[in-house]
Amino acid sequence: MWLTGLPSAGKTTIAYALAERLRAEGRRVEVLDGDEIRTFLSAGLGFTREDRHTNVTRIGFVAELLASHGVTVLAPVIAPYAASREAVRARHGEAGTAFLEVHVATPVEVCSVRDVKGLYARQAAGEISGLTGVDDPYEAPERPDLRIEAHTQPVAESAAALHALLTERGLA
């Protein structure tokens, strides 16, 4: 399950809430947090379109590998480009593993107020550029398996919606 959305949209928070619920049900679950992956698996990559694509496809590879061994994988990763997400979906399709795309559709105005990592403030101060959804593109999914408006509902409700999707698709 790929959770895509802007920085500070709530992707990681929702993923960990769902992971906790799935583990309580006895499921094997891994959360492939985009920030952690950048630190370990994708260290040295920048934020060019090509580097972002490489990062997303690396995460997709690990996700598919784990999924092929029966692990439910939650990937809260911005993945700003539709083509990169589609490449991951195609890889899963070729391997016969399920892929669900969830758009955590929190408006940029809400994300900038949350500003969990201080990115929006740093961008506004001119300290950084290339912030997804502000001065770098974000291609929102046109037909995600689920769209969550995390700014209008509690985390537990968002996680419950994801759990319902997994159940509906026979994956939970």
Side-chain angles (χ1 to χ4, degrees), residues 78-99:
I78 295 169
Y81 304 114
S84 298
R85 296 189 304 268
E86 189 52 41
V88 173
R89 179 187 298 277
R91 176 178 188 79
H92 279 70
E94 290 167 10
T97 53
F99 177 87

Side-chain angles (χ1 to χ4, degrees), residues 3-6 8-15 102-107 110-111 114 146-159 161-162:
L3 289 83
T4 180
L6 297 174
S8 297
K11 301 176 299 298
T12 302
T13 302
I14 295 167
V102 176
H103 181 206
V104 181
T106 307
V110 174
C111 294
R114 289 179 180 173
L146 181 66
R147 188 175 319 277
I148 292 184
E149 301 201 10
H151 60 293
T152 65
Q153 62 190 33
V155 171
E157 193 175 318
S158 296
L162 295 179

Side-chain angles (χ1 to χ4, degrees), residues 28-158:
R28 295 181 348 174
V29 180
E30 287 297 331
V31 177
L32 299 180
D33 183 319
D35 292 334
E36 290 178 1
I37 297 293
R38 275 224 173 250
T39 300
F40 299 104
L41 183 63
S42 295
L45 289 179
F47 291 91
T48 64
R49 186 178 189 100
E50 295 78 20
D51 282 355
R52 289 176 192 247
H53 177 77
T54 298
N55 183 53
V56 168
T57 56
R58 284 180 183 175
I59 296 168
F61 168 78
V62 174
E64 193 284 314
L65 183 65
L66 289 168
S68 73
H69 292 281
V71 176
T72 300
V73 179
L74 308 174
V77 180
I78 295 169
Y81 304 114
S84 298
R85 296 189 304 268
E86 189 52 41
V88 173
R89 179 187 298 277
R91 176 178 188 79
H92 279 70
E94 290 167 10
T97 53
F99 177 87
L100 299 173
E101 182 180 52
V102 176
H103 181 206
V104 181
T106 307
V108 69
E109 298 80 18
V110 174
C111 294
S112 65
V113 170
R114 289 179 180 173
D115 204 9
V116 178
K117 301 171 202 148
L119 297 174
Y120 293 92
R122 290 178 57 210
Q123 190 277 337
E127 296 172 16
I128 62 170
S129 62
L131 181 59
T132 302
V134 178
D135 60 352
D136 207 57
Y138 176 73
E139 299 169 357
E142 292 182 14
R143 290 178 301 283
D145 295 284
L146 181 66
R147 188 175 319 277
I148 292 184
E149 301 201 10
H151 60 293
T152 65
Q153 62 190 33
V155 171
E157 193 175 318
S158 296

